[in-house]
Amino acid sequence: MTPHARLPDPTGHVPLPVLFDDCRTVRAHGELDLSTMAPLEEALRRARTGTGRLCLIVDLSAVTFVDGSLLAPLCEAWNDCRARHGWTRVVYTRPATALVFRVSGLAGRFPGYACAQDARQGIVAWSVPHLARGGAA
C-alpha cells in the first residue's frame, strides 16, 4: 500500500495537498485475492486508528484483479466509519471490479468513484450507477 502522491504541474510546482483531518486514503495495487489481501487489511485497520469522525477512501485504481476476498474487510471498514459518523468510498472504474460489487449485492454501498478527489466530493463515476441497477458489465 502506498500513499497517494501528488505530481507536479507542467511548471514544476507541486501543489499543496488538500487537508482533510477526518479523511484518510488507502491505496492498493496489483492483484487482490485471498493470498494477497493481508497488507490491505492491515492498512485499512491502521487507517481507522484513533477516535472521532472518519472518512475513508480506498483507492483501487491501480488494482489489476480483485475477487470477493475484498468484501469482508471493506464492509468492516464501512461499518466502523459509519458508526463514527463518517463514510467509506471506493475508487474504481474497471468493469471487473464493478462486477464483484454488483454480484455481491454491494454496488449500492460501494459505488465507484473515478479518483480520490471525486470520492471526497461524493461524485460517483458515470459507469457504475447503471451497473448497480443490473446493467451489463
Side-chain angles (χ1 to χ4, degrees), residues 33-57:
D33 59 28
L34 190 58
S35 66
T36 62
M37 190 61 59
L40 178 59
E41 288 177 296
E42 179 59 28
L44 289 171
R45 275 193 290 278
R46 281 194 320 259
R48 297 189 332 261
T49 60
T51 60
R53 182 173 188 256
L54 175 63
C55 299
L56 179 62
I57 297 170

Side-chain angles (χ1 to χ4, degrees), residues 1-3 19 26 30 43 46 62 68 75-76 84 98 104 111 115 120-121 135:
M1 304 314 111
T2 59
L19 300 177
V26 173
R46 281 194 320 259
C75 286
E76 183 180 320
R84 294 165 64 176
S104 67
C115 63
R120 279 187 199 101
Q121 296 174 355

Side-chain angles (χ1 to χ4, degrees), residues 37-93:
M37 190 61 59
L40 178 59
E41 288 177 296
E42 179 59 28
L44 289 171
R45 275 193 290 278
R46 281 194 320 259
R48 297 189 332 261
T49 60
T51 60
R53 182 173 188 256
L54 175 63
C55 299
L56 179 62
I57 297 170
V58 181
D59 187 344
L60 303 179
S61 60
V63 170
T64 57
F65 173 82
V66 66
D67 67 12
S69 60
L70 171 71
L71 300 174
L74 271 184
C75 286
E76 183 180 320
W78 187 87
N79 288 331
D80 187 20
C81 290
R82 186 174 169 138
R84 294 165 64 176
H85 305 287
W87 43 255
T88 300
R89 294 179 179 163
V90 184
V91 175
Y92 66 92
T93 56

Side-chain angles (χ1 to χ4, degrees), residues 111-134:
Y113 294 85
C115 63
Q117 184 172 347
D118 285 357
R120 279 187 199 101
Q121 296 174 355
I123 302 169
V124 176
W126 64 270
S127 63
V128 177
H130 89 276
L131 290 175
R133 292 191 303 265

Side-chain angles (χ1 to χ4, degrees), residues 6-16:
R6 306 246 352 206
L7 299 176
D9 66 19
T11 65
H13 173 67
V14 177
L16 294 174

